[in-house]
Amino acid sequence: MAHIFNRTVLKKSNWIVLYCLVIAFIVLLYRSTSSPIYPMNLWVDSNAALTIGRGMINGTVVYRDLFDQRGPYFYFIHAISALISDHSFTGVFILEVIFSTIFLYYSYKTLLIYTTDKAAIFGLPLVSLLIYHSKAFAVGDSPEEFILPLITISFYYLLLLMHGNGTWLGNKFNLVLNGFAFGAVFWIKFNAAGFWIGWFLIFFFFLISKRKYREILPFALNFFAGFILSCLPVIMYFSLNCAWSFLIESYFIVNIFYYPSSVSFSSPIKIYAENIYQSLIQDFSFAFTMAGIILFGVTGKNERRRLERLTPLVCFIFLSLGVYVGRMAPVYYRFVFLAFTILAFVMICQALAKKLLLDELSMRYAIIFSL
C-alpha cells in the first residue's frame, strides 16, 4: 500500500489522468451532440432522460410521475447533469468527459499489463478515436456510454489477476470498487451485468485452481460491500418517496416481460446469432473488437496463461447473452462490447513501439507525438 502514496507515483498518475481528460474532452467535443458546439442533442432518448433528471431535482419521482424503463442510476446521472445545467446538455457533456476519462485511464492501466509505458501512452488517442467514432456511439448519452468505463475497471483487475499480479486482492478499496462497478451497471441497465457472470466464473476458477481458498471470503465480503454501497442511493431515494413498487414494475417487470421481442425457445438463439452477425457486418469497431478477442486467445502463448487467454471470450459470451438474447438490439447496444477493444490495441501498441522506437523518446515527447 505504501507505493500508492509515493510522491513520484502520485505525480505520474495525476499527469496520466490529465492526459486522459484532454483526449476525452477533444474527442467528445465534436463527437457527442451533448457538446456545447452543438445547438442540442436531438436524440429522443437523451431528451427524455434529461427531462426526467430535471423533474427529479424539481420534486417529481422517476417511474411514479415520469415513466421510462431504464435504470435509476441513468436518471441519477441526468439529475446531476440538470443541476450543472438546467437548460442545456452541458451537464451531460461534462459527465460524459468524466466517464470517458475513467475509461481511458483504466484502458491505459490495461495496456501497461502487456506493453511499455510509452507504448500505452501512444495507444490511448487511437483507442479513443476508434471507440467514439463507432456507429454504436450514435450521438452520445446512451446508458451504454456510462456502462463502458465500469466494465473496463473490472476487466482490468481480472486481466491483472490472470497475468499473475494478484496483489490487488489484498487491497480492500479495489475489492469494494469492483463490487460498486457491478452494482452501478446493475442499476443502469441490468442486462449488461451479465459481464460479471463470466467475470465470477473465471475469478473463482482461478482461486480454486491455485488453492487460494483464504482469498474467497474476504473478496466476497468486500465485493458485496461495494455492491451494497452502490445500492444505497437507490434504497434511500425510493424509500423516501415510497416508490418501490414503481421501480420494480418499470425497471424489472417491463424490461423482462414486455420489452423483449421474442419469447420462444428457438427464436432467442436465432435473434442472438442475427445480432452478432449484424454487428459484425455493420460496425467496423465491433468486428475489430472481435478480432482482438480471438487474436488475444490464440497468440502470445508463451507470455499468457491458458485461462488468461480464455478470460475475454468467456466475459464477452456472458455479456452478449445478456444484451442480445431475445431481442433485436438497437445499434447503440453494441457500445458496451467495445471495452474489449483494448485487447487489439495491446498487439497494435507492441508493434508500434518497435516500429516507431517509442521507448527511445522521453515521456514528454511521447505524449506530444501521440497527440
Side-chain angles (χ1 to χ4, degrees):
M1 285 291 291
H3 72 280
I4 294 175
F5 301 102
N6 182 281
R7 287 187 178 183
T8 304
V9 173
L10 283 172
K11 186 176 179 180
K12 180 183 175 183
S13 179
N14 291 339
W15 273 107
I16 295 301
V17 171
L18 180 62
Y19 178 61
C20 293
L21 179 65
V22 169
I23 296 171
F25 178 81
I26 292 171
V27 174
L28 287 173
L29 187 65
Y30 69 91
R31 278 299 295 146
S32 172
T33 58
S34 298
S35 160
I37 70 171
Y38 292 91
M40 68 177 296
N41 188 323
L42 292 174
W43 192 15
V44 172
D45 290 6
S46 293
N47 282 273
L50 189 57
T51 297
I52 291 174
R54 190 181 296 117
M56 289 171 69
I57 65 173
N58 285 289
T60 58
V61 178
V62 62
Y63 306 128
R64 188 189 71 187
D65 304 317
L66 295 167
F67 173 80
D68 205 351
Q69 83 283 358
R70 290 186 172 90
Y73 258 49
F74 188 56
Y75 302 117
F76 291 166
I77 289 170
H78 283 80
I80 295 170
S81 301
L83 283 171
I84 297 171
S85 177
D86 190 29
H87 299 292
S88 73
F89 278 86
T90 302
V92 174
F93 174 71
I94 290 171
L95 291 182
E96 283 182 308
V97 171
I98 292 171
F99 274 75
S100 178
T101 301
I102 295 169
F103 163 70
L104 289 171
Y105 179 70
Y106 278 93
S107 294
Y108 165 79
K109 289 169 74 71
T110 303
L111 286 172
L112 277 187
I113 299 173
Y114 303 103
T115 66
T116 64
D117 198 11
K118 291 166 188 173
I121 286 289
F122 186 81
L124 280 183
L126 302 178
V127 173
S128 184
L129 288 171
L130 181 78
I131 292 284
Y132 294 103
H133 282 78
S134 166
K135 289 181 180 179
F137 182 68
V139 296
D141 195 28
S142 67
E144 285 71 15
E145 184 181 354
F146 299 105
I147 289 171
L148 181 72
L150 299 168
I151 289 179
T152 304
I153 290 170
S154 284
F155 191 44
Y156 158 70
Y157 282 109
L158 187 60
L159 287 176
L160 189 65
L161 179 65
M162 294 302 106
H163 197 65
N165 187 347
T167 55
W168 66 270
L169 289 174
N171 187 323
K172 290 184 178 181
F173 173 80
N174 292 331
L175 298 175
V176 172
L177 179 62
N178 278 277
F180 185 88
F182 164 67
V185 170
F186 180 81
W187 291 116
I188 294 174
K189 207 167 190 178
F190 62 77
N191 61 350
F195 167 85
W196 277 270
I197 298 177
W199 196 91
F200 282 127
L201 288 174
I202 293 290
F203 184 89
F204 284 115
F205 183 82
F206 175 83
L207 291 184
I208 292 170
S209 66
K210 298 295 182 181
R211 298 183 179 180
K212 295 180 178 289
Y213 306 119
R214 293 182 179 179
E215 307 284 357
I216 295 176
L217 183 60
F219 163 78
L221 292 175
N222 286 289
F223 188 93
F224 184 68
F227 174 71
I228 293 298
L229 187 64
S230 73
C231 294
L232 288 180
V234 178
I235 293 170
M236 291 175 63
Y237 179 81
F238 288 98
S239 296
L240 289 172
N241 290 290
C242 301
W244 278 101
S245 61
F246 297 97
L247 168 68
I248 294 168
E249 173 71 26
S250 301
Y251 184 46
F252 293 106
I253 295 176
V254 167
N255 280 303
I256 294 171
F257 297 105
Y258 301 125
Y259 198 74
S261 58
S262 172
V263 292
S264 69
F265 177 75
S266 60
S267 189
I269 299 172
K270 180 181 178 183
I271 290 176
Y272 174 80
E274 287 179 0
N275 276 316
I276 295 291
Y277 174 72
Q278 291 296 326
S279 298
L280 285 170
I281 65 172
Q282 291 177 0
D283 197 332
F284 168 77
S285 59
F286 186 90
F288 184 79
T289 299
M290 288 299 299
I293 292 172
I294 294 168
L295 288 172
F296 186 87
V298 299
T299 61
K301 294 183 179 180
N302 295 329
E303 297 89 8
R304 295 191 279 272
R305 299 170 175 84
R306 182 179 299 177
L307 187 60
E308 182 181 1
R309 288 185 276 116
L310 283 173
T311 293
L313 181 61
V314 172
C315 291
F316 172 85
I317 288 172
F318 282 97
L319 175 60
S320 61
L321 286 172
V323 173
Y324 278 162
V325 166
R327 68 190 70 187
M328 286 305 296
V331 172
Y332 65 88
Y333 275 36
R334 303 169 193 163
F335 197 68
V336 291
F337 299 111
L338 301 189
F340 299 101
T341 301
I342 198 65
L343 302 173
F345 280 98
V346 165
M347 289 165 276
I348 289 172
C349 290
Q350 288 172 340
L352 287 175
K354 295 177 182 178
K355 184 94 174 165
L356 302 176
L357 303 176
L358 294 176
D359 290 337
E360 296 182 12
L361 297 173
S362 67
M363 184 61 74
R364 179 182 297 176
Y365 285 112
I367 291 174
I368 293 171
F369 184 40
S370 65
L371 287 174

